[in-house]
C-alpha cells in the first residue's frame, strides 16, 4: 500500500511565491516581531487575557501588557499578576487590570482587596457550567461590542457585583448583545493574546485548545493566540492562510513548528514554505500521521491550505524574543 500524499523536502531557505489562482488565500495573519499574532487588520485592537498559572514569560509579559488596550484576569490569575512584581510595590501599581472575573474561588483575599481598592471591576460569576476562561472571553466581547455595558457599570457602580446577576449575568448579557448586534454592525477585529492557558493541568490545557476552535465559530472577530515560554499556538483556518513574518525574526527567534489536527482528522491540501512541505496529506492524531518537528524555511512567509481548521504551534526562543523587542 502506498502512503497517501506527498512530502517535499526543501532547502534551509526558499522564496515563497503563492499563485493565488492555484492556491486560494482567505486569511492573512502576521507574526509580529514582538512575538504577537495579528490578523493583518491594522485597525485591530489587542486584548490580553491572563489565566491562573505562574507568569513565566518575563519581560515579554510587560511588552504584551503595553501593547494591549484591555487586560483581563481570570479569577486566580489576579494572584499571578500581583506576584509577578514580587516586592516592587511601585511597579505593581502601574499594572492594574481592567477586569477580574470568575467564580472567585481562587483569588486571595488580600489580592481581591488590593485590586478592589484600585478601582478594578471585579465580577463574580458562580455558574459551574462554564469555566472562568469562557467568562473572560464573553466579557471581552461585551467590553468591545456592547454600546451599553460601560454605561451599565457606571450606573450600577455602587451596587454589589456592579449590578451583574451573580450566577451567569455576563453570559446572559453576551447572549442578548450578540442577538442585537449580529444583524446591524460589522464587529471590529480583536487580537486576543492568552497567557498561562497551556501546560499545567491537562484538562485545562485541552479546554484552552477547545477555545481556539469554539471562538472561531462563535466570535470569529477574535484572532486568538496562546503564548507560552516555548510556543505561540494559533488556529490555522481552512480555505488557505498566509502567515507572514520578519525574516530576521524567523532566523533569530523561531524554532520548530507543528501542524496539529487536534480537533479532527483533516487533509493538508498544500503547504509552501516548510522544511517538509506536504501535498494532499491526510493527517490525524489517531493514525499518528502528524507533521511535528517541522520548521519554516520560507524567508518571510509560509502558506497553509487545509481542508479543516487545525492547530499550529510555533516554537519561540523566549530570551531571543525579549532581546529582539
Ligand atoms: N493548571 C492550569 N493549567 C492551565 N490552565 C489553567 C490552570 N489553572 C487555571 N487555568 C486557567 O485559568 C482559569 C482561571 O483559573 P482559576 O484557578 O481561577 O479557576 P479554576 O477554578 O481552576 O478554573 P475554573 O473555575 O475555570 O474551573 C481557568 O479557567 C483556566 O482556563
Ligand atoms: C459535563 C460536565 N462536566 C464538568 C462540569 C464541571 N465544570 C465545568 S466548568 C466548571 C466551572 C469551574 O469554575 C465546572 C465545575 C460540568 N458542569 N459539566
Amino acid at each position: 500500500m502506498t502512503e497517501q500524499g506527498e512530502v517535499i523536502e526543501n532547502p534551509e531557505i526558499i522564496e515563497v511565491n503563492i499563485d493565488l489562482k492555484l492556491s486560494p488565500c482567505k486569511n492573512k495573519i502576521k507574526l509580529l516581531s514582538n512575538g504577537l499574532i495579528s490578523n493583518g487588520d491594522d485597525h485591530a485592537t489587542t486584548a490580553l487575557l491572563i489565566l491562573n498559572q505562574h507568569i513565566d514569560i518575563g519581560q515579554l509579559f510587560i511588552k504584551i501588557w503595553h501593547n494591549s488596550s484591555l487586560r483581563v484576569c481570570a479569577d486566580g490569575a489576579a494572584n499571578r499578576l500581583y506576584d509577578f512584581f514580587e516586592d516592587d510595590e511601585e511597579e505593581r501599581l502601574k499594572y492594574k487590570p481592567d477586569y477580574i472575573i470568575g467564580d472567585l474561588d481562587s483569588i486571595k483575599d488580600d489580592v481581591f482587596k488590593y485590586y478592589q481598592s484600585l478601582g478594578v471591576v471585579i465580577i463574580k460569576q458562580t455558574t459551574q457550567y462554564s469555566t472562568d476562561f469562557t467568562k473572560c472571553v464573553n466579557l471581552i466581547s461585551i467590553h468591545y461590542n456592547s454600546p451599553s455595558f460601560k454605561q451599565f457599570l457606571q450606573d450600577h457602580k455602587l451596587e454589589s457585583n456592579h449590578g451583574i446577576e451573580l450566577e451567569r449575568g455576563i453570559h446572559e448579557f453576551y447572549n442578548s448583545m450578540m442577538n442585537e448586534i449580529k444583524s446591524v454592525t460589522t464587529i471590529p477585529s480583536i487580537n486576543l493574546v492568552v497567557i498561562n492557558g497551556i501546560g499545567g493541568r491537562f484538562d485545562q490545557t485541552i479546554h484552552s485548545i477547545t477555545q481556539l476552535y469554539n471562538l472561531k465559530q462563535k466570535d470569529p472577530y477574535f484572532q486568538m493566540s496562546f503564548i507560552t515560554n516555548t510556543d505561540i499556538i494559533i488556529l490555522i483556518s481552512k480555505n488557505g492562510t498566509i502567515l507572514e513574518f520578519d525574516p530576521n525574526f524567523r532566523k533569530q527567534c523561531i524554532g520548530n513548528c507543528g501542524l496539529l489536527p487536534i480537533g479532527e482528522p483533516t487533509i493538508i491540501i498544500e503547504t509552501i514554505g516548510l522544511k517538509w512541505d506536504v501535498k494532499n496529506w491526510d493527517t490525524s492524531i489517531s493514525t499518528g500521521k502528524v507533521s511535528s518537528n517541522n520548521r519554516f524555511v520560507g524567508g518571510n512567509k509560509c502558506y497553509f491550505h487545509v481542508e479543516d481548521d487545525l492547530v499550529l504551534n510555533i516554537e519561540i526562543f523566549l530570551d531571543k524574543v525579549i532581546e529582539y523587542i
Side-chain angles (χ1 to χ4, degrees):
M1 204 176 75
T2 51
E3 275 249 320
Q4 237 205 317
E6 196 185 336
V7 179
I8 303 124
E9 184 163 338
N10 286 313
E12 281 314 310
I13 183 94
I14 63 171
E15 198 180 321
V16 173
N17 293 305
I18 296 144
D19 181 346
L20 292 176
K21 275 183 244 109
L22 299 174
S23 307
C25 179
K26 269 268 163 66
N27 320 288
K28 212 175 209 184
I29 46 185
K30 283 185 187 163
L31 172 53
L32 304 176
S33 298
N34 52 16
L36 297 180
I37 294 281
S38 152
N39 67 349
D41 171 357
D42 290 338
H43 300 292
T45 189
T46 297
L48 168 62
L49 170 54
I50 308 171
L51 301 176
N52 184 17
Q53 291 202 89
H54 176 62
I55 300 172
D56 60 358
I57 54 170
Q59 285 304 302
L60 182 57
F61 172 65
I62 298 297
K63 185 75 197 173
I64 300 171
W65 180 282
H66 289 296
N67 232 299
S68 305
S69 60
L70 183 75
R71 297 96 178 188
V72 176
C73 290
D75 195 353
N79 306 332
R80 310 304 186 140
L81 175 64
Y82 187 96
D83 291 344
F84 183 79
F85 300 101
E86 298 177 347
D87 53 7
D88 193 340
E89 188 53 41
E90 209 177 305
E91 275 300 288
R92 184 165 21 247
L93 262 177
K94 294 183 196 156
Y95 295 86
K96 192 168 79 106
D98 298 276
Y99 300 100
I100 299 169
I101 178 170
D103 53 6
L104 305 189
D105 62 350
S106 309
I107 187 171
K108 293 182 195 154
D109 267 1
D110 54 338
V111 173
F112 182 102
K113 286 189 187 116
Y114 176 80
Y115 287 117
Q116 189 183 40
S117 75
L118 296 181
V120 173
V121 176
I122 306 179
I123 301 170
K124 184 166 179 157
Q125 292 288 277
T126 59
T127 176
Q128 296 299 293
Y129 286 84
S130 68
T131 61
D132 292 340
F133 192 152
T134 315
K135 293 166 194 170
C136 289
V137 170
N138 277 189
L139 175 64
I140 294 169
S141 276
I142 296 169
H143 173 89
Y144 285 112
N145 296 316
S146 164
S148 56
F149 188 62
K150 274 165 230 158
Q151 190 58 48
F152 181 94
L153 289 179
Q154 186 62 25
D155 294 346
H156 297 76
K157 66 177 174 205
L158 299 177
E159 289 173 34
S160 104
N161 210 35
H162 304 270
I164 296 164
E165 191 272 325
L166 265 176
E167 193 181 350
R168 39 179 299 112
I170 285 297
H171 292 322
E172 303 298 353
F173 210 108
Y174 168 83
N175 291 337
S176 55
M177 176 194 82
M178 289 311 273
N179 283 334
E180 275 167 36
I181 63 175
K182 245 181 196 143
S183 47
V184 220
T185 42
T186 46
I187 301 175
S189 329
I190 303 164
N191 296 320
L192 177 60
V193 179
V194 183
I195 63 164
N196 302 341
I198 303 291
R201 231 175 70 201
F202 191 60
D203 60 329
Q204 302 270 37
T205 297
I206 289 296
H207 175 65
S208 293
I209 296 296
T210 70
Q211 297 282 322
L212 279 175
Y213 287 94
N214 221 17
L215 275 196
K216 165 84 189 298
Q217 300 308 321
K218 290 204 178 122
D219 306 273
Y221 47 88
F222 281 118
Q223 169 66 55
M224 181 179 191
S225 55
F226 290 98
I227 298 198
T228 76
N229 64 8
T230 55
D231 289 273
I232 296 169
I233 298 161
I234 57 175
L235 197 72
I236 293 292
S237 292
K238 60 183 172 188
N239 296 325
T241 299
I242 293 178
L243 174 69
E244 292 181 335
F245 36 78
D246 173 75
N248 287 322
F249 184 74
R250 181 195 71 90
K251 253 189 251 152
Q252 292 173 36
C253 304
I254 295 181
N256 292 287
C257 70
L259 280 81
L260 312 172
I262 300 175
E264 58 196 318
T266 189
I267 296 171
I268 305 176
I269 298 160
E270 182 183 30
T271 64
I272 310 174
L274 296 175
K275 177 71 187 174
W276 291 277
D277 269 330
V278 293
K279 270 198 171 69
N280 297 322
W281 206 70
D282 54 340
T283 175
S284 92
I285 299 281
S286 62
T287 60
K289 198 170 158 193
V290 170
S291 175
S292 64
N293 305 279
N294 213 328
R295 58 181 180 269
F296 298 139
V297 293
N300 62 352
K301 63 173 96 60
C302 186
Y303 174 75
F304 306 91
H305 187 195
V306 288
E307 213 164 79
D308 304 277
D309 302 343
L310 55 63
V311 174
L312 173 73
N313 74 301
I314 304 167
E315 183 183 18
I316 50 167
F317 306 130
L318 183 64
D319 294 348
K320 301 275 189 215
V321 173
I322 291 170
E323 246 173 63
Y324 202 93
I325 53 187

